[in-house]
Amino acid sequence: MAVIPFQQPTRINDDPPEEQFRQAVERSGLTPPPDIRMDGKIHRFHTGTGKKTEKSGWYVLYGGDIPAGAFGDWRDDCYHAWRAEVSWEVSLSEEQDIRERIKQAREIREAEAVKVQGAAMEAARNIWQGAPDAPEDHPYLTKKGVKPHDIKVTVGDGRLIIPVYDSTGELVSLQYIDKEGNKQFHPGGKVSGCFYMIQGQGETIYMAEGYATAATIHEVTGSPVIIAFNAGNLPPVAQAAKGLYPNNPLTIVADNDVSGVGQAKAQEARDKTGANVIVTPVTGDANDYHLAGHDLKELLVGSDKPDWLVPFYEFVQKPAPIKWLVKGWLQANACMMMFGPSGSGKSFVAMDMALRIASGVPEWNGFRVRKGGVVYLAGEGQQGMKGRASGWRAYHNIDPRSVDCWISKDGCDLNTEEGFARAVENIRKSGMDVSLIVIDTLHRFLSGDENSAQDAKTMLDACAKLMALFNCSVLLVHHTGVSPEAQKRARGSSSWKGAQDIEISVSPKGDKSILVEQTKSKDTELAAPICFHKKVIDVPGWFDEDDEQVTTLILEEGEMEGEGTSSQKMTPATHAAMETYRSAAYKKGKLTPKGFEGIHLEEWREVFYEGSTHENPESKRQAFFRARDGLVKKGILTVSNDIYKPTNDFEIMSIVLCLKENKAQIYRDKP
């Protein structure tokens, strides 16, 4: 039986008790009864499903100053405690009276359940005995790709019938499944602790929630499989199975629910019985996993090949290319760290990268960005982060509804069981396909000492679990020490750096500049450092209590303070833009008696578009003019009458030599 516990109300409802009760019934998914009696007796009503003459709903209510009781549905074997909300603070004696009434309502319901279940058992046996065997081409079985394993169909509407047995082997109820997959239990039949078992060979007994899932597991393994019918029934059925088969290993194959209910109930069953639990790696159940082309048998049984050793011919095969979230900077499916002194701007950099990923902005300072969902776990400064995020959105003209990002209200200890479960549950409830989880800052999410290798390991293990559960990357944002020497590395145990795939340092350069550089990249060469300027902008529509404009910072690519404004000091984005110019010069350039005179705007644009990764013509146009304007602004190119020419004599000489070589090659290639 699914029991929804009573909870202390968190708000005051001024509606009459009868109306409050109707609202509670509606919230549970049932149709409320037409009239409500608070007389301490059990009343039946139509719940909105099944035949109109069928009254599978029930309620028991007591009146008084604070009406209370319970209600439920025999069809789904569910139970809801209820009490009215009042405008005064409930005394201890009143609280005791309420709980006593709810207890009495439950006792009346249980006494009635004995009668109802007895009648349901007799009806179920008669239906089962008179029903024909289910055909293999039943629409639901065909859709799920499974066979009928000693199940039947109803004579009238052709619904599948799965028998429900208790631990003594008595048939106590039935489950019906129509061709669309809609499921219903026989009204009033007992379900809690009851199950159906598909017989098979082998010592291991598997357990799953639904018929199609169980049938799939049986068909790929040949093993016996128990059907628990729903997630809430996994714990009692697991206990019944261990009592019936104490010498057989029990493996629960849990659904990977977005809500996390299937996983949580499977873990509860494991804690009570010691059963093994396997969760499908992707959202859905074992049947979904199998139909998607994955190897379910290998997931359940394992492979007969070594999983640690590989033969040489496989080892030397070309590896899959590295996948990036931000090309060269943030790797997909990786554990990474960004560190810097307090006030260095590391959170600005982390948020800028994260929001570009979440909103699908195609580039980060000239580096390609791959769109994906982002979870930003913010442990401190939520008010300031709201201002930064709002300023970033306005500055980049981004529709906030298009940003696939969820941000935490506060921090939690991720390396504890409770904190980790809270994070996982919330991430799953977001329903988002996560590419990156940002943990800002590490200190706010770590229970223990960051200098302890053991505490570091528990946090790194939590990060690894997050990566495995959501198939995503994790970026830790961390502090450095205070001394100049300590500011060159992340604070705490050396274990932090050893575990990272990529490590990024953020350091201030003067009052207005920030230097971002990689200090570790396990699988590739270090990326070239990038410098940002801090730009103060207004947060649109935000004013403080004195009606003064609220401002925030935005990072713009630029040169470091104290290094002049020489055009030849190029950032990676500037280098990329200049490469497109060189390509145009090599392909379209011409030599005159005066040498190389430059490239026309349209010749450059044509070559730029050919090599552009942007699919949208407008995006190509914007990227081209951004590159052109950047090179001219920095003084790397000059322009006259739409003819662009380098200012650096060495650059011009390189182009001339290339053009002469191209001309000689054409001559050599002539027959």
Side-chain angles (χ1 to χ4, degrees), residues 197 199-206 221-224 248-249:
M197 187 174 191
Q199 300 296 325
Q201 302 295 320
E203 290 188 359
T204 299
I205 297 174
Y206 292 93
T221 65
S223 300
N248 293 77

Side-chain angles (χ1 to χ4, degrees), residues 566-580:
S566 169
S567 64
Q568 310 315 318
K569 295 186 180 298
M570 295 194 289
T571 63
T574 312
H575 275 293
M578 189 59 191
E579 280 299 318
T580 66

Side-chain angles (χ1 to χ4, degrees), residues 94 311 418 530:
E94 288 174 324
E418 181 181 357
I530 295 178

